[in-house]
Amino acid sequence: MEADALAVPGAGNSGRPAGAPLGNEPLGDLGLAGDHAAIWSYDFEAETLSWLPGLENLLGGGALTEAEIESRLADLVAPLTAGTRTSPPWREFELEQSFRNPAGEIRWVRLRARTIGDDNGSSGLLGIATDVTDVRENRQALEDLTDRYRLLVELSPDAVCVHEAGVVTYVNRAALTALGASSTAELIGRPIMDFVADESLPALLDRIASLHRQGASTVPADTVMLRLDGTKYLVQSISVRTTWEGRPAFQVIMRDISAQKAAEATLRYQAALISHVSDAIIATSGSGVVTSWNPAAENVYGWTAGEAIGGTVSELVGAALDPETVLRRGGVMQTTHRHRNGSTLAIRISAAEMNDGFVLVCADETARRRAEQHYSTVVASLDEGVVVIGPGGLIESANPAACRIIGVGHDDLIGVPCVTLELYDEQGRIPPARMPSVVTRRTGATLTGLVLRLRRPAGDDVWISLTSRLLTPEDPSAQAVVASFTDITERRAIGERLAHEATHDPLTELANRTLVLDSLAEALSGAGRAELTTLLFIDLDKFKVINDSLGHSVGDKVLRIAGERLRRGIGENDLVGRLGGDEFVVVTAEITEPDEIKALAEHLREALTEPITVNGRQLHIDASIGIVTAANDDTRTAEDLLRDADVAMYQAKTLGRARYEFFDVELRERMQRRLRMEQDLRDALQNEELWTAYQPVVDIESGEMVAVEALLRWKHPAHGTISPAEFIPLAEESDLINLIGKYVLRTTTREIARRREQLGIDLNLKVNLSARQLDDPHLVAGVQDALKTTGLPPHALTLEVTESALMRDQAAAAEVLTSLRDLGVSLAIDDFGTGYSSLAQLQRLPLDTLKIDRTFVTGIAESRDAAAIVKSIIAMAHAVDLIVVAEGVEDEEQLTVLRELHCDQAQGFHLGRPAPPDELFGAAG
């Protein structure tokens, strides 16, 4: 209700009676002063509102009734009347409320009130209502402006931070990103100098110190900043003096100019590149006038930049040059220009538009095209077909021989997928995935000497020997393949025809094993059986060395010549045959006396030992012959006789080769002993009967022992010491050599590793590998395991392989040796000079050491020829960076000659006999 004086309920503490008019004292504390204000009160007990005049104007004007005023006031103060009943007297409360006046406007009123009462508690509220609509709108406008500014700063692409007294108080999002932070907590509160590189600190402090007044700013300056991870980046910064929460502060705006600086560096690099590239780069106007001429253009065309700039490009390059024509042809074309001196230039020209003119890049390909022309001429003249297959599998080039062999014209072959060619192997037509060029492209492997059948478009077949390799092995990613092939149809036809000759050897045209056995069986049966049938089993000595070192083609020629000599050396009714490899037989019933048989054997040997000339090289072979005779009452079969003759032949080989031996019962017993010996050798591994002796290898210059060669020894429990010459061949002919090789490798590497550590010496271990071991797929892994297990450094191990073993299959040997070399071990060729190899062949193998066979060293001190041979070997070996070791040095004279010939190392009885490790090094500690 409205009253002239407002009654304050329960104001006992003020000394006023209840319901007495309220004076001005309590209202002063509530801030009565000001426009648009009215006083009100509320009685908690009576739950009634009272107010002084003026409230109606604040709530909407004089048109409001008292009831409307009371209703509106009750709504506005409801939160206060409801929540303050239990509050003690003289507590102050404040509340801002909005309402809609009769005109429909939203108005705001601030209600400030204080609880009134006595010691018994509060009895009501006394308050002031003030219209704060204008104040609130001004405040909102300021807040909106502040929010917009804050948003602009927060979303600015430039990093912005504020620091007060040297401590960061604010950073925007761009600053977070620039400094490498994930949250403001990583930056706020840290010294601003933590984020400035040392080289930029002095200048930054000087700029900040120059700001003396509010709003003053520095000029833009380059500053090196530090990210949280310590990396640096370059910004252009401006510092502005400002305030932060009323205190002096500095706002810093930072713009990252790393990209700008990088772009400037790129431009400088490009300018330098243009000045230093090997291709001529020429800029012209739209009318063809030269505006830029780099140094390479001076070299290519012979005109200086001063002479060229301002001239017409066509005149300078000696040919019509229209950049627009180049662009119409795809931007690149081949053409011919002329040097200033008139010489012809093969040019690949590229053109691009730039501003009001063109940029021309002219690459001088004169030398390359000349080389390509020479190469094309050579390839075109080959009888061997050559095709180049691109990365997409299409044939890109083919020489005339390839077109002739495939049976198509050149234009019909270019661009054809290689997989469309019909190639067949033993399994049938080769599918696309197994085509040689596809396999080479996929694996990078070179496929050599593939014998395939090619079906021509006309329907006829030709046989080819094909090799497929990468065109650029140094860049396998290029994936271009070159395939070369030879027409071997005629040779193949001859081979197939001879292969079907069931009773004759296709190589020598002699009787094969089947015909030999059939003829022998016929001679041993029937009423017309001869008084004595003689079988000579002939094995060629030294043939394996020839075949392995010079190749099968040379070996075949030797076999054919040997077969022909045997055929000419027997009687008309005798039979000569080839069983296989280098084994021949002669069957005769024409002679009966032992002396005649011996004479025949000697005659055949003499015929075989005559020099054989193959490919301009004179070769020598001999023969070991086993002889068996069968009287007409002999019950042995043809197979039995052949077996017994083989036993006799083996005995001849055992006794030194180049001789003949007759079969007898003792031979069979010796063979049985040999079989027992082989079994004993197997047991020797398990019974620890094998041990290793070490022979010193000495540096000739210093006389110091630099290595030892491991030599295997066998002490048989019943037969005593067995010569290596007896048991090593046994091991090589069986699978024992690989087992023994692993045993030797593991025990010797362990022994030498221990001696190196105990004695503190840098000693190399040399271990022999046989040809059979090179074929072992587990050899490389075994060597690696031995080194790892024993701790011997790879460089301290040298693996020695005989010359004949290397020449047996050079490609396979090279592959195994390369894998061994990759382990870090050294490789040596042993017994050099016995295998018909050449240093040119050895150069293709990854070798480190060459050991001269003892046969060359034996007479070196007495024979000038022997010394000359050794001198040549040493010189050639040194020319390909091989260390040379001489074997079999038996006296000081030999050692002196080797020293004069600059041989590197030597071994032999004169320098030290093979000995147990304790005898050579001393007892182990």
Side-chain angles (χ1 to χ4, degrees), residues 302-563:
W303 300 96
T304 66
E307 294 171 322
I309 293 175
T312 303
V313 67
S314 295
E315 295 177 354
L316 294 168
V317 302
L321 177 52
D322 180 12
E324 293 184 349
T325 301
V326 179
L327 291 172
R328 284 195 298 270
R329 295 184 180 181
V332 180
M333 63 180 290
Q334 305 285 345
T335 186
T336 300
H337 289 172
R338 289 194 178 277
H339 191 271
R340 182 177 188 172
N341 61 16
S343 60
T344 301
L345 302 173
I347 298 294
R348 176 174 53 83
I349 182 170
S350 304
E353 290 188 81
M354 184 185 74
N355 299 332
D356 297 330
F358 302 92
V359 173
L360 307 173
V361 179
C362 302
D364 185 3
E365 299 182 341
T366 306
R368 183 176 65 82
R369 292 196 198 173
R370 185 179 298 116
E372 288 175 351
Q373 182 62 42
H374 293 170
Y375 174 78
S376 298
T377 302
V378 172
V379 172
S381 65
L382 294 176
D383 291 332
E384 184 179 21
V386 179
V387 296
V388 175
I389 302 156
L394 302 181
I395 297 175
E396 295 182 347
S397 64
N399 70 342
C403 298
R404 183 184 71 252
I405 295 172
I406 297 175
V408 297
H410 181 271
D411 294 341
D412 295 328
L413 190 58
I414 301 304
V416 173
C418 68
V419 295
T420 61
L421 299 178
E422 290 191 46
L423 292 177
Y424 297 81
D425 59 10
E426 301 131 354
Q427 302 176 16
R429 181 169 181 178
I430 300 176
R434 286 202 302 112
M435 290 289 279
S437 61
V438 175
V439 173
T440 297
R441 185 183 304 110
R442 183 175 64 247
T443 65
T446 296
L447 307 179
T448 305
L450 300 179
V451 177
L452 305 171
R453 180 163 54 91
L454 168 68
R455 177 153 297 171
R456 299 181 180 181
D460 58 324
D461 291 343
V462 293
W463 286 91
I464 60 173
S465 175
L466 181 143
T467 295
S468 174
R469 58 172 58 86
L470 290 175
L471 181 62
T472 53
E474 67 278 4
D475 183 17
S477 62
Q479 293 190 328
V481 175
V482 58
S484 57
F485 45 91
T486 305
D487 187 347
I488 59 169
T489 305
E490 183 177 355
R491 187 177 69 192
R492 177 79 181 188
I494 294 173
E496 289 179 349
R497 183 179 70 251
L498 294 177
H500 284 84
E501 295 290 340
T503 58
H504 288 82
D505 172 50
L507 180 64
T508 62
E509 297 187 4
L510 300 175
N512 64 6
R513 185 184 186 92
T514 300
L515 182 56
V516 168
L517 290 174
D518 288 347
S519 300
L520 188 57
E522 185 178 352
L524 296 175
S525 64
R529 177 173 178 176
E531 180 183 346
L532 187 70
T533 302
T534 302
L535 175 64
L536 293 85
F537 196 114
I538 304 168
D539 185 271
L540 301 183
D541 297 332
K542 301 180 182 178
F543 172 76
K544 189 174 186 304
V545 174
I546 295 173
N547 201 46
D548 290 346
S549 59
L550 300 182
H552 295 295
S553 61
V554 174
D556 289 347
K557 291 179 181 178
V558 172
L559 290 175
R560 282 194 289 268
I561 293 172

Side-chain angles (χ1 to χ4, degrees), residues 541-543 546 608-612 618-622 836:
D541 297 332
K542 301 180 182 178
F543 172 76
I546 295 173
L608 291 173
T609 55
E610 292 182 8
I612 298 174
Q618 196 172 72
L619 306 175
H620 297 273
I621 60 172
D622 209 319
Y836 300 98

Side-chain angles (χ1 to χ4, degrees), residues 630-699:
N632 54 12
D633 60 350
D634 199 314
T635 59
R636 286 177 292 179
T637 66
E639 290 281 1
D640 293 337
L641 289 180
L642 193 61
R643 178 202 63 208
D644 291 345
D646 188 11
V647 169
M649 183 276 296
Y650 188 84
Q651 177 65 10
K653 279 191 175 294
T654 303
L655 294 177
R657 304 175 185 268
R659 59 185 293 147
Y660 60 84
E661 288 291 325
F662 282 87
F663 173 80
D664 57 27
V665 176
E666 291 182 1
L667 271 181
R668 182 179 292 123
E669 292 176 350
R670 284 196 293 272
M671 283 299 297
Q672 292 172 349
R673 178 181 182 275
R674 176 182 173 85
L675 292 175
R676 288 195 300 270
M677 187 73 68
E678 180 179 337
Q679 183 57 49
D680 290 347
L681 184 57
R682 293 181 184 275
D683 297 337
L685 276 172
Q686 300 178 356
N687 298 336
E688 298 183 353
E689 298 168 12
L690 299 177
W691 62 280
T692 305
Y694 297 91
Q695 184 175 32
V697 179
V698 175
D699 181 87

